[in-house]
Amino acid sequence: MANTVFTLFSLVLICITATQGRKTLHLNHELLTSNPVFGDDVHGICKTMVETLGYTCEEHKVTTKDGYILSLQRMPTGRSGQKADKPPVLLQHGIFSDASTWLVNSPDESLGFILADNGYDVWFANVRGTKYSNGHTSLNPNDQGYWDWSWDELAGYDLPAFVQYVYNYTGQKMHYAGHSLGTLMALAAFSQGQVLNMLRSAALLCPIAHMNQITSLLTKFAADTFIANDLYWLRIHEFNPNGPMTLVTGPNCCLNSSITDVSSEPTATKNLIHLSQMIRTGKIAKYDYGDEGENMQHYGQPDPPLYDMTTIPKEFPLFLTYGGQDMLSDVKDVQHLLNDLQDHNANKLVVLFKEDYAHLDFVRAVNANQMIYDPIMSFYRVN
Ligand SMILES: *[C@@H]1O[C@H](CO)[C@@H](O)[C@H](O)[C@H]1NC(C)=O
Ligand SMILES: *[C@@H]1O[C@H](CO)[C@@H](O)[C@H](O)[C@H]1NC(C)=O
């Protein structure tokens, strides 16, 4: 009974958020038309979250091969004002968020500031569809075509654009840190042999690859009933999350309860369908068009091609950290990924398990500096 009530509640919730998604679309439209200066840096991450705390920050833009104009922020110095003496680090946020993920806590508690204060040249990525990366060479977010993507494109276009841009700009190979979907983007790209030649190492927080064991009721429910697909046919192409996120993320142990105004960013409904396909089939594959003919057109084969995690080069330095309370990056799924990586060079793979952490603790817990970020910096120093 409780389950039924919960399920109904979830359904209503998803319908409400879907409706909100529509509203956001209009809102975006108004914002875009009333404010023709694209990418309005005055209200951007640098001006609102970094410079206000006395740090230097630069706004950058890169255009992907499929035309999306994406923003990056850079912190070239720490609070001392001294120029970075360590390599660049590229930080890639997860689903429903943006670069602010790495900056919401105090400078002593947020990975972005901590890296800058420790001498790293810090770069923050914002994927397509988020409010600071909503440009395109020919489409705008009101166009259905703008939202015609899933994480295949985030891994295949956005990530390579960010990495190539930072590499071009700094002339240096970089470290990477990704959270949640930012880990899937990296793992998928790595398994295709992409971007590795420009990276020194990668830290993966709450790795998402296999998704069969997911325990998040809301997510599993949406996947099982294929709600995302319904949204798609209702022509709601942009999905805006707003709701009790702990139902999805797990019970985060250590968030600062006085910080509540963290923005949620929309994503493409197609991206959610793709994730729900992973949950239902247990496979890490490209987006399934659900029709052999259409898959043939896109991939030259009737089934979507698989991403094979066992092909990730064994000598590439990887740091994986995951939590016992995380309902999205489930312990069993992470162990499945670790099994794929069983032949990885033992001294090139660091694994850090944190029993009491859930999905958001890894980016927002008040003790993540000691628990997670110090070990990541130790890992960077030797790679
Ligand atoms: C990087 O530099 C190469 C060579 O100059 C150029 O072709 C490419 O467009 C640049 N890419 C990015 C993302 O800046
Ligand atoms: C929580 O956030 C508030 C407001 O930013 C801050 O003053 C406080 O020190 C934080 N608490 C902890 C435990 O970090």
Side-chain angles (χ1 to χ4, degrees):
M1 182 62 198
N3 261 347
T4 316
V5 171
F6 176 76
T7 303
L8 283 172
F9 169 66
S10 310
L11 183 59
V12 171
L13 188 92
I14 287 168
C15 292
I16 292 170
T17 46
T19 323
Q20 284 175 344
R22 283 229 120 144
K23 282 199 192 115
T24 307
L25 225 113
H26 290 295
L27 200 73
N28 279 348
H29 178 62
E30 281 153 23
L31 276 176
L32 282 171
T33 46
S34 66
N35 179 11
V37 183
F38 162 72
D40 186 1
D41 294 344
V42 178
H43 302 295
I45 301 256
C46 274
K47 285 279 181 291
T48 60
M49 300 192 78
V50 182
E51 292 176 8
T52 44
L53 295 169
Y55 286 77
T56 312
C57 189
E58 301 169 1
E59 295 281 351
H60 291 260
K61 292 224 187 305
V62 62
T63 303
T64 65
K65 291 214 164 93
D66 58 347
Y68 289 81
I69 303 167
L70 310 179
S71 76
L72 292 139
Q73 292 79 32
R74 179 197 195 191
M75 292 174 70
T77 66
R79 73 182 85 178
S80 69
Q82 217 154 35
K83 209 165 158 265
D85 58 1
K86 294 200 181 74
V89 181
L90 177 67
L91 298 178
Q92 177 58 63
H93 64 78
I95 194 166
F96 300 139
S97 64
D98 61 24
S100 63
T101 303
W102 310 104
L103 299 161
V104 280
N105 281 352
S106 75
D108 293 323
E109 294 169 339
S110 304
L111 184 58
F113 294 111
I114 290 172
L115 287 170
D117 284 334
N118 279 275
Y120 290 95
D121 177 9
V122 189
W123 292 77
F124 302 89
N126 300 271
V127 301
R128 60 185 63 188
T130 60
K131 67 173 167 289
Y132 302 114
S133 288
N134 63 6
H136 189 279
T137 49
S138 62
L139 300 166
N140 81 46
N142 282 347
D143 299 323
Q144 212 167 287
Y146 177 92
W147 298 99
D148 186 15
W149 50 266
S150 77
W151 60 261
D152 285 332
E153 283 74 24
L154 302 184
Y157 294 106
D158 290 18
L159 181 61
F162 294 133
V163 172
Q164 185 74 58
Y165 183 88
V166 174
Y167 183 73
N168 279 15
Y169 197 90
T170 64
Q172 290 192 66
K173 288 168 80 166
M174 70 211 75
H175 296 291
Y176 179 87
H179 177 235
S180 183
L181 201 67
T183 69
L184 179 58
M185 289 166 62
L187 289 164
F190 297 170
S191 75
Q192 313 268 296
Q194 281 194 294
V195 305
L196 287 162
N197 60 331
M198 292 175 280
L199 294 187
R200 292 168 192 266
S201 76
L204 307 177
L205 290 71
C206 313
I208 290 193
H210 299 281
M211 292 189 79
N212 352 4
Q213 300 291 337
I214 203 156
T215 43
S216 163
L217 286 171
L218 192 55
T219 310
K220 198 157 178 56
F221 170 75
D224 288 348
T225 54
F226 222 26
I227 288 234
N229 229 2
D230 297 338
L231 294 179
Y232 204 64
W233 295 120
L234 287 169
R235 300 193 171 277
I236 298 169
H237 293 274
E238 176 193 8
F239 186 87
N240 208 5
N242 274 303
M245 283 307 274
T246 55
L247 291 180
V248 182
T249 63
N252 300 294
C253 73
C254 307
L255 304 195
N256 184 337
S257 55
S258 69
I259 300 178
T260 52
D261 59 338
V262 180
S263 69
S264 302
E265 292 292 326
T267 192
T269 303
K270 185 174 175 182
N271 192 26
L272 296 180
I273 298 175
H274 192 181
L275 290 166
S276 72
Q277 289 172 353
M278 295 170 74
I279 297 169
R280 284 178 310 114
T281 64
K283 290 183 182 151
I284 313 173
K286 294 209 174 202
Y287 182 81
D288 187 350
Y289 286 86
D291 176 279
E292 291 193 353
E294 226 183 309
N295 283 335
M296 274 307 274
Q297 262 180 28
H298 284 91
Y299 308 124
Q301 57 185 73
D303 296 312
L306 299 175
Y307 292 96
D308 182 357
M309 296 298 141
T310 67
T311 64
I312 295 174
K314 307 195 180 340
E315 64 290 347
F316 181 72
L318 285 175
F319 179 105
L320 263 80
T321 182
Y322 65 113
Q325 307 302 315
D326 191 338
M327 286 154 75
L328 282 177
S329 183
D330 186 88
V331 169
K332 287 206 196 83
D333 285 330
V334 176
Q335 279 159 359
H336 191 171
L337 172 64
L338 288 171
N339 195 46
D340 289 346
L341 300 173
Q342 61 182 313
D343 294 330
H344 211 81
N345 289 1
N347 61 349
K348 295 292 175 194
L349 179 63
V350 178
V351 179
L352 176 61
F353 176 64
K354 185 85 173 73
E355 175 61 51
D356 61 341
Y357 266 28
H359 205 67
L360 295 178
D361 284 312
F362 288 85
V363 282
R364 289 183 40 206
V366 293
N367 60 354
N369 45 7
Q370 280 131 39
M371 299 300 160
I372 311 294
Y373 308 153
D374 284 350
I376 288 177
M377 286 190 291
S378 303
F379 163 79
Y380 284 164
R381 271 194 288 278
V382 297
N383 285 294

